[in-house]
Amino acid sequence: MNSISTTIILLVSLPASLFVLHTRSEDAKLNFTELGMKYGHSVEEHDVVTEDGYILTLFHIPGDTKGPLLLMHGLFDSADTFIIRGNLSFIITLANKGYDVWAGNTRGNKYGRRHKYLDPDAGPKFWDFSFHEAGYYDLAALIDFILESTGEQSIKTIGHSQGTAIHFVLLSTRPEYNEKIKGFIALAPIAFLNNLIPPVSTVAKKWQVINKFLKASGMDELLRDHSAALDLIQLLCSQGLIGYDVCYVLISSPIFGFDPERIEPDFWEVIMGHFPTSTSRRSLVHFAQVSDKKRFAQYDYGTVRNFREYKQLIPPSYNLEKVTTKISLIAGENDNLSRLKDVDILRTVLPKEPKYHVMEPILWNHVDFTCANDMDVYLYPYIFSSLQDFE
């Protein structure tokens, strides 16, 4: 049984008297642009078209501090993750300091569900992508658009979770982009997934079976926005302490790491207004392959198509020796997805030794990198130190 089904069953089986259904807070309902306006900044929205036709929304809050800075989100997430903490958020903090801030989206999420020719509701072709395409096409298109718009030669970037993996994909497969990225801050770095622990490792091992079921059911898009199931989950998970205890403590914490000090019940309701958002089934398949094969490698289609795509029977590993831009890795000891042992593997294969920091709070988890209530105390000093180093 997947976590979505478990959440629904646990919540609907509770006595009705425990629920006092209430409207979600304003910040849970506002989109990126509306949140920017609420917290004092006008937001530009740009459509960026990738080489293969996907149309992505790129948000921009203009500034003049040391060139453009692009932020990229994780899996099942969107640019919203960098602004939902309001005045404490990445976007507002950077904008208040005068940075020229851009927040990108990858194909398939609520800000990337468009294509020049393909219909996301008309079959699997739109959803035939993984994090590889998000790096090779999406990140490249976003960077090129920003450079063309600003007249700059290079930008600085910050990625979280999958937002780091797509950087490693792009910089290793299109090494010319190492010159276009002046420096890259990787929050909760994801490349190698050799040391996952239950329940994440259990799901990864069984994903081949789960994937067959989802494929047979025609589920190429996962967690479609505004679907009945997702709307119900977000509603029920927003119901005060009950929703917090069931959805965050029991369901999400084993995946991300448990940290009740930094994700409080009131803010959990805001998170559930923006997360999760849709992605492709193939994205999870690709991550499961990385974990199962213990290789940060391209998508495994099977031997026949592998030979057609790659001219070899197994997919090639991403050549991280080609990643030469300045990198700052920031990891958390309580992160169940970006494990410190796996970050250590990444550090050893990068040709230039990256700046490296493990967050001091021992409970710092995967979500805390974008949502903790004390990011200004523990995280931002290292962000600004790294940005300064890139200069």
Side-chain angles (χ1 to χ4, degrees), residues 265-287:
D266 287 346
F267 183 64
W268 175 250
E269 295 183 20
V270 177
I271 292 176
M272 290 307 301
H274 299 268
F275 179 89
T277 183
S278 53
T279 192
S280 69
R281 171 178 51 81
R282 223 185 87 186
S283 292
L284 268 71
V285 174
H286 196 175
F287 279 120

Side-chain angles (χ1 to χ4, degrees), residues 135-165:
Y136 191 89
Y137 294 113
D138 297 357
L139 183 56
L142 294 169
I143 291 172
D144 287 341
F145 182 91
I146 294 170
L147 293 179
E148 183 177 351
S149 298
T150 61
E152 297 284 344
Q153 298 299 311
S154 62
I155 67 172
K156 296 181 284 289
T157 62
I158 299 175
H160 173 241
S161 189
Q162 180 187 258
T164 70

Side-chain angles (χ1 to χ4, degrees), residues 48 50 54-59 70-79 103-114 126-127 129-140 142 160 162-167 277-280 283:
V48 177
T50 68
Y54 286 82
I55 304 171
L56 314 173
T57 300
L58 175 63
F59 298 107
L70 172 65
L71 283 72
M72 294 303 300
H73 60 80
L75 185 67
F76 289 118
D77 212 346
S78 71
N105 291 280
T106 56
R107 61 187 63 195
N109 77 8
K110 61 184 178 181
Y111 299 121
R113 206 174 177 276
R114 293 178 294 158
F126 179 95
W127 300 100
F129 63 82
S130 75
F131 66 82
H132 174 85
E133 287 76 14
Y136 191 89
Y137 294 113
D138 297 357
L139 183 56
L142 294 169
H160 173 241
Q162 180 187 258
T164 70
I166 66 176
H167 275 79
T277 183
S278 53
T279 192
S280 69
S283 292

Side-chain angles (χ1 to χ4, degrees), residues 32 42-46 58-63 68 100-103 150:
F32 187 101
S42 60
V43 178
E44 299 174 357
E45 295 185 12
H46 301 276
L58 175 63
F59 298 107
H60 179 215
I61 298 180
D100 188 43
V101 189
W102 303 73
T150 61

Side-chain angles (χ1 to χ4, degrees), residues 228-278:
L230 185 56
D231 284 349
L232 178 61
I233 291 169
Q234 291 179 326
L235 173 64
L236 296 177
C237 287
S238 300
Q239 299 308 309
L241 288 174
I242 294 296
Y244 177 81
D245 287 344
V246 173
C247 298
Y248 178 62
V249 177
L250 295 180
I251 304 298
S252 299
S253 290
I255 299 171
F256 299 122
F258 183 49
D259 188 0
E261 296 181 14
R262 291 175 177 83
I263 306 296
E264 64 276 22
D266 287 346
F267 183 64
W268 175 250
E269 295 183 20
V270 177
I271 292 176
M272 290 307 301
H274 299 268
F275 179 89
T277 183
S278 53

Side-chain angles (χ1 to χ4, degrees), residues 296-315:
F296 184 49
Q298 296 193 38
Y299 191 86
D300 190 348
Y301 295 99
T303 54
V304 174
R305 186 173 171 184
N306 283 346
F307 190 78
R308 185 166 68 247
E309 297 284 342
Y310 310 126
K311 307 305 180 187
Q312 58 187 64
L313 299 181
I314 62 173

Side-chain angles (χ1 to χ4, degrees), residues 146-209:
I146 294 170
L147 293 179
E148 183 177 351
S149 298
T150 61
E152 297 284 344
Q153 298 299 311
S154 62
I155 67 172
K156 296 181 284 289
T157 62
I158 299 175
H160 173 241
S161 189
Q162 180 187 258
T164 70
I166 66 176
H167 275 79
F168 296 125
V169 168
L170 176 64
L171 295 172
S172 62
T173 58
R174 305 176 80 166
E176 65 271 20
Y177 279 85
N178 284 279
E179 300 301 319
K180 297 183 180 184
I181 298 178
K182 182 181 297 186
F184 163 44
I185 300 174
L187 306 175
I190 296 289
F192 297 94
L193 298 172
N194 299 7
N195 294 281
L196 296 177
I197 60 174
V200 180
S201 60
T202 304
V203 173
K205 290 177 182 177
K206 296 183 179 298
W207 191 253
Q208 186 174 359
V209 175

